[in-house]
Amino acid sequence: MSTTQGEILWVDDEIDSLKSQILFLKNKGYEVTPLTNGYDALELLKEKNIDVVLLDESMPGLTGIETLAKIKEMDPNMPVVMVTKNEAENIMEEAIGGQISDYLIKPVNPNQVLMSLKKIMDSRRLVSERTTIAYQQDFRNLFMALSSNPNHEEWKELYRKLVYWELEMSRSDSAEMMEVLQNQKAEANTEFFKFVSKNYEGWIKGKNAPILSHELFKAKVAPHLQQGKPTFLVVIDNLRYDQWKAFQPIVNDSFRILEEDMFYSILPTATQYARNALFAGMLPAEIETKFPNEWKNDDEEGGKNLFEETFLRYQLKQLKLDHLKTQYIKITNNENGKQMEDDIHNFLNNDLTVIVYNFVDMLSHARTEMEVLKELASDEVSYRSLTVSWFEHSPLHRALRKIADKNIQVIITTDHGTVRVKTPSKCVGDRQTTTNLRYKHGRNLQYEERDVLAFRDPKVAGLPRPNVSSAFIFAKEDVFLCYPNNYNYYVNYYRNTFQHGGISLEEMVVPVIRLQSK
């Protein structure tokens, strides 16, 4: 079996003078095909797989620059290193404009050629190796942190590190190390479920609690509001921390990050509960008491998030911020988005503009409904990539860029995240039982106890009690709850889709970021 480092084509009309350099490369494991003119090079490239072309710039007949143009017509991604006697700026500009990967000045030193090839061919492998070594060194630290009974702040730090390595690994090509990381992440979620099960009831009572959904506005938004300085609070539905980190570089072009933190979504990690709590500054049980006509339980008819503005204005009044000029906007489709983009300059007259952007939530639900999206977002990497692509081309990004030169601040956050479900668990309930795959509430629920956190009295979890015998259950880790009828069909249909409502790092530990225009 060949152990070649790569196939090199070296094109130079004085190729004989390069014999020692070619021999040097062959001794380093490269296969080198020497040719003396551009015509032969183009013919060879039609027939043979080449990794890199070394191309002399000044050849008789077809010049190096002309050959380069024709190579790029055939294969725009072919790496070409231009070798030239001439340091004249216009020649280099032509070559660089023609997308060369590197250039070398004659006489070429064999080590220079080697370094150029390594830079082009091995950069991905070298990055992968460096990432792998660094992760292996950190693996033990993460393992130790997991086993040392972390508190809610340390869990945020642990999750931050896991996401950092996940993003690094997805840039490199180490499938084996990615698998190790995924196993570590699964183990982290197992421990996280135990941690939440043990502490959640205490958090609701205010014991050693992290910032939860209903405290987010008071803790992370209100202190930064002031009259005369426009603040935009952008709540992107269903945004995970790793998705934020993936599109952060796009945001960095226009804004400076003043603070990046995470908070904990309440249970269920579902829009109707977590987002209403965020705007009302109250737990769902309190909202139901205070706003009996506006709060709707899962089993009731009608929209569940129709009164966010009412709740927000109530909270502003409670915080003595109702003197601020405030506007609430909800984006549920692209038309709304374009309208918001057109109106963005008018919002600069507000002290606080709240923009609820539903795209990511629509995407994750659509992901289970549409086969095309199932293909597009079949794993974490493609799901992140889809979010980045959406954000980059969204009316939201364009609108923010339009006002980035004004003296504004932007706070980006979310209501909850989402998790890729893999493990089915049987659950039985009556006709009133909710259909969500990650949590259920209803009477006479039967379920696998080891797969869920159950609250037989919803009040202790800060949740309304639709009926005297209503209980709530929340799925752990990557579990999804399926009814026994048509069990196999639903298991196959929903496995590997992104769901929310339950207990995982991805759903519960979510970002809040404060930005300032540059």
Side-chain angles (χ1 to χ4, degrees):
M1 195 175 85
S2 165
T3 57
T4 177
Q5 295 284 345
E7 290 280 349
I8 311 301
L9 169 58
W10 199 330
V11 191
D12 193 309
D13 60 317
E14 297 169 348
I15 201 78
D16 287 344
S17 66
L18 297 168
K19 277 182 180 167
S20 61
Q21 282 93 328
I22 290 170
L23 188 62
F24 176 80
L25 290 182
K26 286 185 173 176
N27 288 335
K28 293 289 179 187
Y30 293 91
E31 288 295 323
V32 185
T33 304
L35 290 175
T36 58
N37 64 80
Y39 301 105
D40 289 348
L42 295 169
E43 285 306 310
L44 183 88
L45 286 168
K46 287 178 193 166
E47 295 158 19
K48 191 172 182 182
N49 284 331
I50 295 293
D51 293 306
V52 181
V53 178
L54 292 164
L55 184 61
D56 181 27
E57 176 259 316
S58 55
M59 296 186 292
L62 203 60
T63 68
I65 301 288
E66 290 164 344
T67 308
L68 171 68
K70 291 191 180 298
I71 290 172
K72 289 293 177 178
E73 271 173 39
M74 285 165 58
D75 180 358
N77 298 316
M78 174 62 71
V80 178
V81 177
M82 190 63 84
V83 185
T84 175
K85 285 178 187 163
N86 196 332
E87 289 186 69
E89 203 172 307
N90 65 323
I91 290 178
M92 283 302 52
E93 277 176 8
E94 267 189 79
I96 290 163
Q99 298 171 296
I100 59 164
S101 301
D102 200 359
Y103 70 91
L104 300 169
I105 308 292
K106 284 187 176 183
V108 286
N109 173 311
N111 275 313
Q112 275 179 303
V113 181
L114 183 65
M115 286 312 293
S116 181
L117 294 177
K118 274 194 177 296
K119 190 166 73 182
I120 293 163
M121 294 171 64
D122 292 357
S123 64
R124 197 171 173 86
R125 181 181 62 78
L126 292 171
V127 166
S128 171
E129 281 175 9
R130 272 201 302 277
T131 302
T132 302
I133 290 163
Y135 170 63
Q136 283 169 335
Q137 287 165 349
D138 209 17
F139 174 85
R140 190 166 167 71
N141 300 338
L142 286 164
F143 184 76
M144 296 289 283
L146 261 180
S147 21
S148 65
N149 197 14
N151 62 29
H152 60 74
E153 279 301 312
E154 288 162 341
W155 266 114
K156 287 189 332 195
E157 197 45 48
L158 242 166
Y159 182 45
R160 196 178 265 120
K161 277 189 176 167
L162 285 167
V163 165
Y164 169 79
W165 285 118
E166 190 170 12
L167 293 173
E168 288 296 304
M169 290 287 176
S170 60
R171 287 189 198 103
S172 69
D173 263 346
S174 177
E176 298 83 359
M177 288 315 292
M178 184 57 111
E179 199 178 326
V180 172
L181 176 68
Q182 293 305 339
N183 289 338
Q184 194 167 42
K185 206 165 137 201
E187 193 182 333
N189 262 325
T190 303
E191 293 305 315
F192 183 71
F193 174 74
K194 292 178 194 166
F195 170 69
V196 171
S197 302
K198 192 170 143 191
N199 293 291
Y200 193 75
E201 204 176 310
W203 291 351
I204 294 301
K205 291 175 183 155
K207 286 183 194 163
N208 301 323
I211 293 171
L212 295 168
S213 305
H214 62 297
E215 297 152 331
L216 180 75
F217 190 92
K218 183 180 178 180
K220 290 291 187 183
V221 182
H224 305 293
L225 297 178
Q226 58 189 78
Q227 224 162 354
K229 175 159 188 182
T231 295
F232 289 79
L233 172 61
V234 182
V235 181
I236 302 176
D237 202 10
N238 210 341
L239 181 74
R240 302 191 329 185
Y241 178 67
D242 63 322
Q243 291 170 311
W244 151 249
K245 291 310 281 182
F247 71 69
Q248 180 187 332
I250 301 169
V251 175
N252 284 350
D253 287 345
S254 315
F255 293 93
R256 233 168 12 98
I257 293 175
L258 296 179
E259 183 188 5
E260 180 192 276
D261 199 359
M262 291 186 250
F263 71 100
Y264 282 62
S265 168
I266 59 162
L267 296 175
T269 44
T271 307
Q272 159 196 358
Y273 293 90
R275 202 159 75 202
N276 280 330
L278 189 159
F279 284 123
M282 294 184 278
L283 288 161
E286 297 170 82
I287 303 175
E288 187 200 34
T289 306
K290 195 87 188 161
F291 293 94
N293 299 326
E294 286 82 359
W295 177 268
K296 291 214 177 340
N297 289 312
D298 284 285
D299 52 0
E300 294 177 88
E301 292 296 314
K304 312 290 194 275
N305 282 80
L306 300 179
F307 296 99
E308 289 167 357
E309 185 175 359
T310 305
F311 298 155
L312 169 68
R313 293 194 182 278
Y314 172 80
Q315 182 173 194
L316 287 167
K317 195 172 180 183
Q318 296 303 106
L319 296 171
K320 300 189 168 39
L321 293 169
D322 47 334
H323 62 285
L324 295 177
K325 189 180 178 196
T326 301
Q327 189 170 353
Y328 167 92
I329 301 140
K330 192 173 200 167
I331 311 295
T332 53
N333 57 47
N334 217 38
E335 282 313 302
N336 297 157
K338 285 180 178 158
Q339 187 64 53
M340 182 265 304
E341 184 190 343
D342 292 342
D343 295 344
I344 195 75
H345 280 101
N346 301 334
F347 304 150
L348 293 168
N349 301 319
N350 301 329
D351 299 313
L352 172 63
T353 305
V354 176
I355 300 170
V356 172
Y357 218 102
N358 259 3
F359 177 80
V360 183
D361 200 37
M362 290 191 288
L363 170 72
S364 72
H365 286 305
R367 157 85 180 89
T368 58
E369 302 301 336
M370 291 170 62
E371 296 305 318
V372 177
L373 273 166
K374 272 192 175 182
E375 293 303 313
L376 281 176
S378 59
D379 60 21
E380 310 288 343
V381 176
S382 52
Y383 189 47
R384 270 194 300 273
S385 164
L386 205 54
T387 314
V388 172
S389 182
W390 159 71
F391 180 76
E392 190 170 11
H393 304 291
S394 68
L396 175 61
H397 178 223
R398 291 196 296 271
L400 290 175
R401 270 177 52 196
K402 275 186 180 181
I403 53 171
D405 60 336
K406 304 287 185 277
N407 182 22
I408 61 165
Q409 63 178 345
V410 179
I411 297 170
I412 296 177
T413 191
T414 186
D415 42 14
H416 56 77
T418 183
V419 71
R420 184 155 62 120
V421 296
K422 296 174 195 162
T423 312
S425 181
K426 280 187 182 161
C427 173
V428 182
D430 61 20
R431 207 176 291 170
Q432 251 59 53
T433 305
T434 47
T435 55
N436 189 292
L437 299 181
R438 290 282 289 160
Y439 78 95
K440 304 270 182 209
H441 81 65
R443 294 170 295 186
N444 313 318
L445 287 176
Q446 294 165 45
Y447 46 85
E448 298 283 352
E449 299 220 359
R450 66 173 185 275
D451 290 337
V452 302
L453 168 61
F455 287 104
R456 289 182 178 82
D457 177 4
K459 293 281 184 219
V460 300
L463 295 168
R465 187 174 215 166
N467 295 292
V468 178
S469 54
S470 284
F472 272 84
I473 59 171
F474 304 102
K476 70 175 186 179
E477 301 159 45
D478 62 6
V479 166
F480 60 111
L481 304 164
C482 287
Y483 297 129
N485 38 342
N486 284 345
Y487 183 73
N488 289 335
Y489 169 78
Y490 285 110
V491 165
N492 291 327
Y493 188 73
Y494 287 113
R495 182 182 268 130
N496 284 327
T497 61
F498 289 87
Q499 303 293 335
H500 56 82
I503 301 172
S504 66
L505 286 158
E506 292 92 329
E507 289 161 291
M508 280 188 83
V509 185
V510 284
V512 52
I513 304 101
R514 191 160 59 93
L515 310 160
Q516 179 83 39
S517 45
K518 279 186 170 172

